[in-house]
């Protein structure tokens, strides 16, 4: 079922996109530019705020996920820089199919993981558990941006799920993540929020169900990654993404994870070694800069991040955004 | 606008000699400057509004001052020497294209799935006398890039001066691009594309836009600063080779042979307290300046270019204080621009002079002059230095050279 509706510009990829089999040189060059000795960081745990309930299975899952982010980051560096998996020469067409399938599987995993978090959020809202609901909100946001490029295909879902207050037209009904965010972080009155949370959980479930038939191509995956970085630059590092919770850095991590998933899926299609090496280094640089903001309970509140640090973030995301804007063309090849 | 016309005509003639431009093209170039932007396709091929990029000195120093400035200071990322060289090579190649009004990245058909390599806003505007001039800040000379021992003695940190109100966000930087053009959009285009190319390697620290060419050229009437006075009548003319060699260009015997043919740039953002100045009587304004407002003549003289006799001017007047005779004959090549950054939070103009001065050694030119001015110049009441930076401007390059080659090559 997963591959039925592939619209693959990438299927016409020419021989230039075939794996070049010289990954070792590539890695050597990258390794010289970045050393990851100083990279080991404390494992982030965003649920320290509710560290009481160790038997709560949902919260335990959330904990495990956040612990995983740090491990995942390092694993990715090792894999890319240590040249663990040189791509075998393969048929161009099947490379594109494989890239799309890889990406889709990653999005599916994130979307599926969102479902129980959203359900738990509904339950927490119903029971008036503000602290727990906040943690679940953060956990959900940590995954949302990874699936948002696919969610963007479905106008009905997107307009209900991910509008910020400033995005609303006059008289427009406000639902979704940020409506929940505002209630949790400002008035804390959750009674009126139950139907909103219910609808949100239903929409998340619907999205997870639509991932298998969503329209994905090499081009749309590359463009989705570029747009995730756009969101980082214009909304997240400006602090406009999470204006009540100030979880902007959680969103940033999710966006980088989503962009990185897209890049890793498409990377075998990119024959431009220089671009690969720039992107590898830029992802590492961005990850590191963000890692500096990890706190015991996930990430520092963006309110506490001063202008100088915000500028550093801007520099690394601009440094990633520029080469990432070349990914689509490089992965598709000349058309 | 008449001085612009003269200026460009002079340059057209000069360029025609070098580049062999046909007369017809030169006329089109003059029309382009004198009128509004020439948007016809022909404008793009007109060489008459181009400044030669190559030569022993960088363009943009002893080049007749253009109408607009877009100055950008950058911090470099954690680069090694090879990466710094790569950036400077990329910048040089791109600046070479830009000043010749060619598209960034060439005109090869490119993938429609990639962003355009040239951002496009200068297409059809011609070169507009664009110059791009690079400078190296003191902090570039570190162990990291193997340059710790190469910092020129002349690039010594500026001392604090009285009246400094420096905003750190408008000071310093590792690399600078002084971009000047007769069209602000052409200047922006250069900065924008050069910044984009540097992404991940260098990032903008601060920028300053300017206009009005607040510096004179031999052929043009002296422009006016925002005090309403002619400013820089006694500046070094950009075609006075002897004075330039004596006061502006660094020599290999000065201590840093790699800087031979280069210069040192002091950039100061000087905010004027416009509102209080405008409430100052004409008598007092002229006494502060040491010149008459309308004609620009030294007080006591009739014409602008009458010889300045410092002794007869008011004791603390600007012209008297800045006169070379007080500073052992030290002179600067000034290339300043007026600036207006809107209004401040109190509703007052945030405006003044972005002072750019090129010299052979700031320790013997800007520093002693400014030390004197900061303490005794009557104009100090009406100005605040809000930004400061110092740059080693390396020599020019040949057709296959790159900026900094004499230092890093």
């Amino acid at each position: 079922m997963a591959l039925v509706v592939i619209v693959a510009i990438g299927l016409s990829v020419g021989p230039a996109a075939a794996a070049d089999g010289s990954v070792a040189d590539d890695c050597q060059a990258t390794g010289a530019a970045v050393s990851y000795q100083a990279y080991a960081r404390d494992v982030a745990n965003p649920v320290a705020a509710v560290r009481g309930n160790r038997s709560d299975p949902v919260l335990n899952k959330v904990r495990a996920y956040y612990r995983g982010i740090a491990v995942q980051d390092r694993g990715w560096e090792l894999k890319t820089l240590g040249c663990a998996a040189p791509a075998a020469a393969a048929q161009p067409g099947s490379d594109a199919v494989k890239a799309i399938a890889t990406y889709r599987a990653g999005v599916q995993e994130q979307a599926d993981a969102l479902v129980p978090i959203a359900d738990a959020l509904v339950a927490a809202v119903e029971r008036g558990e503000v602290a727990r609901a906040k943690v679940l909100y953060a956990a959900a946001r940590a995954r949302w941006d990874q699936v948002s490029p696919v969610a963007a295909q479905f106008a009905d879902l997107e307009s209900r799920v991910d509008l910020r207050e400033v995005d609303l037209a006059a008289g427009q009904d406000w639902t979704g993540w940020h409506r929940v965010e505002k209630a949790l972080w400002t008035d804390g009155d959750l009674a009126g929020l139950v139907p909103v949370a219910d609808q949100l959980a239903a929409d998340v479930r619907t999205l997870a169900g639509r991932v298998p038939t969503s329209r994905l191509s090499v081009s749309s995956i590359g463009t989705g990654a570029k747009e995730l970085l756009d969101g980082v630059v214009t909304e997240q590092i400006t602090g406009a993404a999470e204006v009540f919770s100030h979880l902007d850095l959680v969103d940033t991590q999710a966006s980088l994870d989503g962009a990185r998933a897209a890049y890793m899926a498409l990377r075998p299609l990119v024959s431009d070694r220089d671009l690969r090496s720039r992107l590898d280094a830029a992802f590492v640089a961005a990850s590191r800069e963000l890692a500096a903001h990890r706190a015991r309970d996930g990430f520092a509140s963006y309110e506490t991040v001063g202008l100088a640090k915000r500028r550093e973030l801007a520099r690394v995301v601009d440094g990633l955004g520029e080469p990432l804007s070349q990914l689509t063309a490089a992965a598709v090849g000349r058309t | 606008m008449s001085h612009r016309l003269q200026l460009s005509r002079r340059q057209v003639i000069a360029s025609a000699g070098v580049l062999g431009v046909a007369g017809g093209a030169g006329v089109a170039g003059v029309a382009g400057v004198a009128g509004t932007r020439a948007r016809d396709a022909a404008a793009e091929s007109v060489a008459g509004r181009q400044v030669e990029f190559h030569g022993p000195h960088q363009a943009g120093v002893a080049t007749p001052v253009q109408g607009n400035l877009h100055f950008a200071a950058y911090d470099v990322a954690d680069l090694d020497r090879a990466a710094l060289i790569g950036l400077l090579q990329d910048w040089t190649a791109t600046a070479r294209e830009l000043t010749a009004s060619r598209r960034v990245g060439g005109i090869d058909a490119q993938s429609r799935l990639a962003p355009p390599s040239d951002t496009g806003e200068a297409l059809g505007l011609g070169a507009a006398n664009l110059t791009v001039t690079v400078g190296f800040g003191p902090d570039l000379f570190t162990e990291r890039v193997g340059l710790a021992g190469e910092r020129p003695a002349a690039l010594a940190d500026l001392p604090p001066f009285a009246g400094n109100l420096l905003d750190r966000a408008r000071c310093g930087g590792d690399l600078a691009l002084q971009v000047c053009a007769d069209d602000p959009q052409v200047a922006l285009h250069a900065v924008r594309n050069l910044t984009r190319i540097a992404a991940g390697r260098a990032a903008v620290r601060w920028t300053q836009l300017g206009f009005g060419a607040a510096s004179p050229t031999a052929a043009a009437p002296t422009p006016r600063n925002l005090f309403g006075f002619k400013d820089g009548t006694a500046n070094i003319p950009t075609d006075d080779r002897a004075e330039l060699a004596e006061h502006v260009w660094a020599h290999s015997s000065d201590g840093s042979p790699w800087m031979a043919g280069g210069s040192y740039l002091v950039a100061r953002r000087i905010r004027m307290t416009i509102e209080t100045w405008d409430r100052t009587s004409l008598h007092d304004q002229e006494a502060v300046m040491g010149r008459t407002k309308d004609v620009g003549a030294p007080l006591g003289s009739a014409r602008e270019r009458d010889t300045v006799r410092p002794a007869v001017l008011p004791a603390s007047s600007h012209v008297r204080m800045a006169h070379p005779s007080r500073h052992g004959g030290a002179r600067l090549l000034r290339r300043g621009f007026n600036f207006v950054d809107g209004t401040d939070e109190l509703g007052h103009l945030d405006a003044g002079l972005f002072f750019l001065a090129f010299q052979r050694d700031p320790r013997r030119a800007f520093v002693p002059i400014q030390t004197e001015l900061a303490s005794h110049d009557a104009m100090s009441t009406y100005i605040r230095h809000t930004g400061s930076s110092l740059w080693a401007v390396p020599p020019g390059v040949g057709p296959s050279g790159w900026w900094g080659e004499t230092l890093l090559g």
Side-chain angles (χ1 to χ4, degrees):
Chain A
M1 188 61 193
L3 301 178
V4 172
V5 242
I6 292 167
V7 179
I9 293 177
L11 285 176
S12 64
V13 164
D20 57 29
S22 54
V23 181
D25 294 345
D26 185 15
C27 292
Q28 211 167 17
T30 311
V34 283
S35 108
Y36 47 85
Q37 283 173 345
Y39 187 64
R41 302 274 177 191
D42 289 339
V43 172
N45 181 2
V47 287
V50 287
R51 58 178 69 86
N53 192 353
R54 289 279 161 189
S55 62
D56 183 325
V58 172
L59 289 190
N60 281 340
K61 267 193 169 177
V62 173
R63 285 186 188 100
Y65 174 71
Y66 271 90
R67 276 195 293 274
I69 288 179
V71 175
Q72 200 183 2
D73 271 3
R74 287 188 59 218
W76 181 79
E77 282 198 39
L78 293 170
K79 187 177 165 197
T80 316
L81 307 178
C83 322
Q91 305 303 313
S94 74
D95 273 354
V97 170
K98 198 173 145 196
I100 293 166
T102 301
Y103 180 73
R104 189 188 302 274
V107 172
Q108 186 72 64
E109 189 187 326
Q110 298 300 323
D112 288 345
L114 264 175
V115 173
I117 297 175
D119 287 345
L121 180 61
V122 172
V125 168
E126 281 174 346
R127 289 199 291 268
E129 298 169 348
V130 174
R132 189 163 189 272
K134 283 181 173 178
V135 171
L136 290 162
Y137 176 83
R141 294 302 295 175
R143 302 203 184 240
W144 173 257
D145 273 320
Q146 299 185 61
V147 299
S148 68
V150 171
Q153 288 180 23
F154 306 110
D156 56 333
L157 290 181
E158 229 204 1
S159 63
R160 280 203 302 270
V161 172
D162 205 28
L163 291 187
R164 296 168 305 159
E165 198 167 21
V166 294
D167 297 326
L168 300 173
Q172 188 177 356
D173 198 23
W174 188 26
T175 58
W177 295 119
H178 296 293
R179 169 80 192 279
V180 172
E181 180 205 2
K182 184 176 184 180
L184 291 178
W185 267 271
T186 56
D187 50 33
D189 169 24
L190 304 192
L193 200 61
V194 173
V196 175
D198 263 337
Q199 181 65 56
L200 180 57
D203 286 340
V204 164
R205 199 177 300 276
T206 302
L207 175 63
R210 287 185 190 175
V211 171
T213 53
S214 57
R215 296 164 64 89
L216 289 176
S217 65
V218 168
S219 173
S220 77
I221 293 169
T223 304
K226 179 262 183 196
E227 288 172 356
L228 282 173
L229 259 290
D230 291 351
V232 173
V233 171
T234 57
E235 282 157 26
Q236 293 160 11
I237 62 168
T238 58
E242 303 279 351
V243 294
F244 306 106
S245 64
H246 308 294
L247 290 169
D248 304 272
L249 293 177
V250 171
D251 290 15
T252 304
Q253 176 75 58
S255 297
L256 290 179
D257 288 345
R260 191 171 60 191
Y263 171 53
M264 291 312 283
L266 300 187
R267 194 173 184 275
L269 305 180
V270 177
S271 60
D272 179 341
R273 181 182 303 180
D274 178 57
L275 179 62
R276 286 201 309 267
S277 133
R278 285 178 69 198
L279 279 166
D280 291 348
F283 269 113
V284 170
S287 270
R288 276 193 198 154
E289 188 60 37
L290 199 57
H293 295 283
R294 289 214 177 104
R296 276 188 60 88
D297 54 349
F299 283 95
S301 162
Y302 205 52
E303 270 190 316
T304 68
V305 178
L307 183 57
K309 291 287 183 188
R310 291 185 181 200
R311 282 182 76 130
E312 288 305 318
L313 281 166
R315 286 167 185 199
V316 295
V317 298
D318 284 337
L320 174 57
E322 273 297 327
L324 196 62
S325 72
Q326 306 292 334
L327 174 62
T328 302
V332 171
R334 292 242 163 177
T335 55
Chain B
M1 287 305 285
S2 65
H3 71 279
R4 294 275 175 79
L5 183 59
Q6 290 174 31
L7 171 62
S8 65
R9 191 169 280 144
R10 208 164 62 88
Q11 283 179 283
V12 167
I13 293 163
S15 301
V18 175
L19 301 170
V21 175
V27 170
V30 171
V33 174
T36 53
R37 291 170 185 157
R39 293 188 185 277
D40 56 307
E44 215 169 347
S45 64
V46 170
R49 298 175 68 197
Q50 290 181 14
V51 177
E52 177 60 43
F53 180 76
H54 303 112
H57 315 295
Q58 285 193 67
V61 183
T63 300
V65 181
Q66 302 94 323
N68 299 91
L69 169 76
H70 200 133
F71 193 101
Y74 297 81
D75 290 328
V76 298
D78 194 14
L79 300 183
D80 60 16
R81 190 182 177 101
L84 176 62
I85 290 172
L87 171 61
L88 290 167
Q89 287 175 335
D90 290 352
W91 267 3
T92 311
T94 304
R96 187 179 279 128
E97 299 298 299
L98 287 165
T99 51
S101 196
R102 289 192 287 266
R103 289 183 200 222
V104 175
I107 54 168
D108 293 350
Q110 66 166 74
S111 168
R112 297 186 65 79
L113 294 173
S117 53
D118 187 301
T119 55
E121 72 274 24
L123 295 178
L125 298 183
N129 285 321
L130 176 73
T131 56
V132 182
T133 312
V134 77
F136 300 158
D139 292 342
L140 193 67
F141 296 88
T142 62
E143 287 295 348
R144 181 164 40 114
V145 287
L147 292 178
E150 300 289 345
R151 179 172 171 176
L155 199 67
D157 290 336
L158 299 178
F161 300 106
N164 272 358
L165 207 68
L166 299 179
D167 171 0
R168 285 187 56 81
R170 298 184 191 277
C171 292
D174 296 325
L175 293 169
L177 294 175
Q178 177 205 257
V179 176
C180 303
D182 284 325
D183 184 323
Q185 191 150 316
V186 170
L188 164 70
H189 175 254
V191 171
R192 178 173 164 188
N193 282 273
L194 290 162
T195 300
R196 189 178 174 209
I197 285 166
R201 297 185 282 180
V204 169
R205 180 179 174 87
W206 52 267
T207 60
Q208 182 66 56
L209 275 66
F211 64 94
S215 296
T217 58
T222 311
R224 290 181 186 271
N225 61 28
L226 297 184
F227 284 141
F229 277 76
K230 292 184 178 179
D231 190 355
T233 302
N235 201 4
I236 300 172
T238 54
D239 51 4
D240 189 335
R241 286 167 171 267
E243 286 288 286
L244 292 171
E246 175 63 27
H247 296 288
V248 177
W249 305 126
H251 296 226
S252 58
S253 57
D254 290 350
S256 292
W258 67 270
M259 274 293 289
S263 189
Y264 295 90
L265 167 63
V266 174
R268 306 278 287 186
R269 184 180 187 273
I270 304 174
R271 182 172 172 186
M272 298 171 170
T273 57
I274 299 286
E275 288 76 10
T276 57
W277 176 258
D278 290 346
R279 294 167 198 146
T280 302
S281 72
L282 178 60
H283 172 274
D284 287 356
Q285 287 189 7
E286 291 186 336
V288 164
M289 200 64 66
R291 288 183 183 275
T292 61
K293 192 158 191 176
D294 277 0
V295 176
L299 292 183
S301 303
R303 291 180 301 273
E304 179 188 355
R305 301 202 178 269
D306 284 350
T307 303
V308 173
R309 289 169 296 150
V312 307
L313 297 175
S316 59
S317 66
H318 180 69
V319 170
R320 179 167 172 167
M321 287 291 139
H323 196 266
S325 65
R326 289 184 72 89
H327 310 286
R331 298 189 72 186
L332 303 165
L333 173 63
R334 297 185 46 191
R335 219 168 183 283
F337 289 79
N338 298 328
F339 75 84
V340 177
D341 291 339
T343 49
D344 67 14
E345 61 275 19
L346 301 179
H348 296 143
L349 269 175
D350 184 3
L353 175 71
F354 193 65
F355 174 92
L356 295 166
F358 291 89
Q359 59 227 281
R360 186 171 167 183
D361 186 341
R363 294 169 302 171
R364 287 199 282 277
F366 176 78
V367 171
I369 294 171
Q370 180 57 24
T371 300
E372 179 90 343
L373 291 178
S375 300
H376 304 297
D377 182 5
M379 194 191 283
S380 305
T381 308
Y382 302 97
I383 59 178
R384 311 276 183 271
H385 286 238
T386 57
S388 179
S389 58
L390 174 67
W391 311 96
V393 176
V397 300
S400 60
W402 46 277
W403 286 329
E405 193 170 7
T406 54
L407 174 66
L408 292 153

